[in-house]
C-alpha cells in the first residue's frame, strides 16, 4: 500500500509527476484532487499528501492529514515573468497566500510593472483578476485556476509551470545531435550557460 499521495490539480501535472517520482525511485500514489470529494484522497489509505499552491491549501482545509507543499521555485517564477514581459509591461501576478511574495522588487531589473495580489478563494481570485484587468494589466501570471479565469476575461496569461530543465536539456541535446552551439541557440542561452546547466543537472 502507498502511504504518500501526490495530489495533482489536474491531469496536466500527472505525466511530469510520474517521471519525477520514477527518476528519484519513490513509489508515490498520484491522483487528481477533487475539492468536491476530498475524502476520496484518503480512502486509498494515504497518510501524507504532496501538493502545490491552492491544492495544498484546499487539502489542509478539508482533511486532517499532513500536507507537504511543493513550493514554486524562483526559477520557474522568473521564467513565467520573462515570458509575460514579452506580452506587455504591466504584469498582474495572482495566487494564494503561499505564493512567493515581493515580486514587485523585480520591476527595475526586468523593466516591468508587476502588481501582485493574493486571494483566499476562487471567487476572490476572479474578482481580483477583473480588477487587474480594469487597472490596465497586460497579462496575468498565475497557476492553472488563475490562468483559466484570465482566459475567460480574454486576457493574456502565463501559467507558472514546474521546470523540467534536465529533461528539456536532454531533449535539446538529442535534437541538436550533441552540437552544443546549436543546443544553446535552441534554448536561447549563451554557450557558457548551457555548460553550467549541463553541469548542474549532470548531463
Amino acid at each position: 500500500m502507498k502511504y504518500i499521495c501526490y495530489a495533482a490539480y489536474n491531469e496536466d501535472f500527472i505525466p511530469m509527476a510520474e517521471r519525477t517520482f520514477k527518476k528519484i525511485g519513490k513509489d508515490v500514489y498520484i491522483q487528481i484532487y477533487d475539492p468536491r470529494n476530498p475524502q476520496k484522497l484518503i480512502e486509498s489509505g494515504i497518510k501524507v499528501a504532496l501538493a502545490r499552491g491552492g491544492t495544498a491549501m484546499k487539502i489542509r482545509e478539508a482533511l486532517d492529514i499532513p500536507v507537504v507543499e511543493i513550493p514554486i521555485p524562483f526559477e520557474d517564477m522568473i521564467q513565467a515573468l520573462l515570458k509575460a514581459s514579452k506580452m506587455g509591461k504591466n504584469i498582474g501576478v495572482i495566487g494564494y497566500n503561499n505564493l512567493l511574495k515581493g515580486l514587485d522588487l523585480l520591476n527595475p531589473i526586468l523593466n516591468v510593472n508587476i502588481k501582485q495580489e493574493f486571494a483566499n478563494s476562487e471567487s476572490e481570485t476572479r474578482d481580483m483578476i477583473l480588477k487587474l484587468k480594469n487597472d490596465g494589466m497586460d497579462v496575468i501570471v498565475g497557476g492553472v485556476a488563475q490562468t483559466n479565469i484570465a482566459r475567460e476575461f480574454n486576457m493574456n496569461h502565463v501559467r507558472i509551470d514546474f521546470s523540467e530543465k534536465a529533461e528539456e536539456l536532454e531533449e535539446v541535446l538529442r535534437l541538436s545531435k550533441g552540437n552544443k552551439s546549436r543546443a544553446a541557440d535552441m534554448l536561447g542561452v549563451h554557450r557558457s550557460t548551457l555548460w553550467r546547466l549541463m553541469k548542474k543537472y549532470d548531463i
Side-chain angles (χ1 to χ4, degrees):
M1 177 178 283
K2 299 177 184 179
Y3 294 103
I4 300 174
C5 174
Y6 170 68
Y9 178 82
N10 65 21
E11 61 278 349
D12 291 352
F13 293 91
I14 291 178
M16 185 187 59
E18 288 171 341
R19 287 192 305 272
T20 301
F21 292 122
K22 182 179 180 183
K23 191 175 196 174
I24 62 174
K26 298 297 178 191
D27 192 22
V28 174
Y29 179 63
I30 300 170
Q31 85 173 52
I32 297 170
Y33 178 66
D34 181 359
R36 296 174 308 240
N37 184 12
Q39 291 297 321
K40 183 179 177 190
L41 192 63
I42 57 175
E43 286 170 359
S44 60
I46 68 121
K47 305 291 184 206
V48 176
L50 305 174
R52 175 184 168 188
T55 305
M57 285 178 49
K58 288 175 185 175
I59 295 170
R60 280 192 190 105
E61 290 169 4
L63 300 171
D64 188 25
I65 61 170
V67 178
V68 177
E69 185 172 340
I70 302 169
I72 296 170
F74 185 70
E75 179 181 336
D76 294 350
M77 179 60 78
I78 287 292
Q79 289 296 330
L81 291 172
L82 289 172
K83 188 174 179 182
S85 71
K86 293 176 183 168
M87 298 176 183
K89 295 294 180 191
N90 297 309
I91 302 171
V93 179
I94 186 157
Y96 297 105
N97 288 324
N98 51 4
L99 184 66
L100 191 64
K101 294 170 178 60
L103 296 174
D104 57 326
L105 296 172
L106 296 169
N107 286 346
I109 298 167
L110 298 177
N111 192 28
V112 294
N113 173 34
I114 296 171
K115 186 169 183 182
Q116 191 170 11
E117 299 285 351
F118 299 94
N120 294 310
S121 67
E122 199 159 317
S123 63
E124 197 173 287
T125 299
R126 182 174 296 280
D127 293 343
M128 287 182 175
I129 291 175
L130 186 57
K131 181 183 181 308
L132 288 169
K133 180 178 183 176
N134 293 335
D135 287 348
M137 292 297 112
D138 300 311
V139 56
I140 294 294
V141 173
V144 176
Q146 292 83 5
T147 54
N148 285 343
I149 294 168
R151 186 180 300 114
E152 288 175 28
F153 290 139
N154 294 314
M155 293 186 73
N156 292 323
H157 53 275
V158 175
R159 188 172 95 180
I160 306 164
D161 282 323
F162 285 124
S163 60
E164 293 185 83
K165 282 290 181 199
E167 289 85 354
E168 181 184 351
L169 285 172
E170 288 169 349
E171 178 66 9
V172 167
L173 286 167
R174 185 186 67 75
L175 290 172
S176 67
K177 297 180 174 42
N179 182 320
K180 308 295 186 292
S181 294
R182 187 166 169 223
D185 287 343
M186 290 170 72
L187 288 167
V189 298
H190 191 272
R191 191 174 165 144
S192 61
T193 303
L194 175 65
W195 282 108
R196 280 197 308 276
L197 289 169
M198 289 173 66
K199 184 175 181 182
K200 178 179 178 180
Y201 296 108
D202 196 27
I203 296 173

